Amino acid sequence: MIIFPATAPSSRNGIGYDQELIKRISAASGKPATTASTALLEALHVLSVKQIVLGAPWSASVNQAVAAFIEANGVKVLAQEALGLTRNLEIGLLDPQTAYDVGRRVNRPGADAVMLACGNWSTFGIIDQLEHDLGKPVLTTNQVSLWHALKMMGMGPLGGLGVLLREHLGDEAARYTVRAGT
């Protein structure tokens, strides 16, 4: 199994680009593959999400491209916020609290879910708390990528990373918990 857990690079060329990448990765490796964008679309479908808000640490132009991809795939983006960072090292050094704060600020009452995009942004430690505080699913690049890979492998539920992994994998009660900061 190969995962390309990068939302912007797997969506940048518009609708269908994620599927093209999957075919190229699978052909080159001989292994099943997925992308963050494919995983996000599947998660939105499984959760019956029609409207989201989008927050990310990168530039506004990258955020616009990701929002356009999401909307081209039938989900309305009600609001978005980008922190304007352009260096990947800066993004990787951000405290998880920045993801929590962006999620709170970008949230709108009409949104069915909050998406915090960027595979280099530390978000795992805030997913459950933000879901609790907002009363709706919180999706992140690495979380949806992990979920889709586990789903493709037929794995059961995983606690500690939000409703998507806890309730939308397998039929068993959550057996494993990911600790914040991992």
Side-chain angles (χ1 to χ4, degrees):
M1 165 64 62
I2 297 176
I3 307 168
F4 183 43
T7 307
S10 63
S11 66
R12 75 170 44 142
N13 290 339
I15 195 165
Y17 183 63
D18 59 317
Q19 295 302 310
E20 178 186 326
L21 286 173
I22 288 170
K23 287 177 188 166
R24 289 171 46 199
I25 293 167
S26 292
S29 68
K31 304 284 184 196
T34 191
T35 72
S37 294
T38 308
L40 173 60
L41 296 176
E42 180 67 20
L44 294 172
H45 173 75
V46 164
L47 294 169
S48 300
V49 171
K50 304 292 183 225
Q51 301 185 116
I52 67 164
V53 292
L54 175 64
W58 50 44
S59 69
S61 63
V62 171
N63 223 34
Q64 276 299 120
V66 171
F69 175 84
I70 292 168
E71 289 198 331
N73 281 282
V75 176
K76 176 91 173 122
V77 178
L78 297 178
Q80 53 184 295
E81 179 179 334
L83 296 178
L85 300 176
T86 57
R87 292 185 36 228
N88 212 24
L89 181 58
E90 287 178 292
I91 293 169
L93 293 173
L94 288 173
D95 187 279
Q97 184 67 37
T98 62
Y100 179 88
D101 294 343
V102 168
R104 296 271 315 193
R105 284 193 308 265
V106 77
N107 185 40
R108 299 293 183 276
D112 301 317
V114 172
M115 174 60 185
L116 300 173
C118 183
N120 199 32
W121 198 13
S122 182
T123 58
F124 275 7
I126 59 90
I127 295 170
D128 276 343
Q129 185 63 52
L130 190 56
E131 280 190 352
H132 176 267
D133 294 349
L134 299 181
K136 62 184 69 172
V138 172
L139 305 173
T140 76
T141 296
N142 292 330
Q143 172 220 39
V144 298
S145 298
L146 174 63
W147 168 79
H148 200 229
L150 292 172
K151 184 177 179 210
M152 290 172 69
M153 294 186 295
M155 302 298 289
L158 182 68
L161 292 173
V163 68
L164 182 65
L165 280 105
R166 186 175 59 250
E167 296 180 14
H168 296 280
L169 280 174
D171 295 328
E172 305 167 32
R175 296 174 299 177
Y176 308 100
T177 300
V178 174
R179 305 218 188 292
T182 59

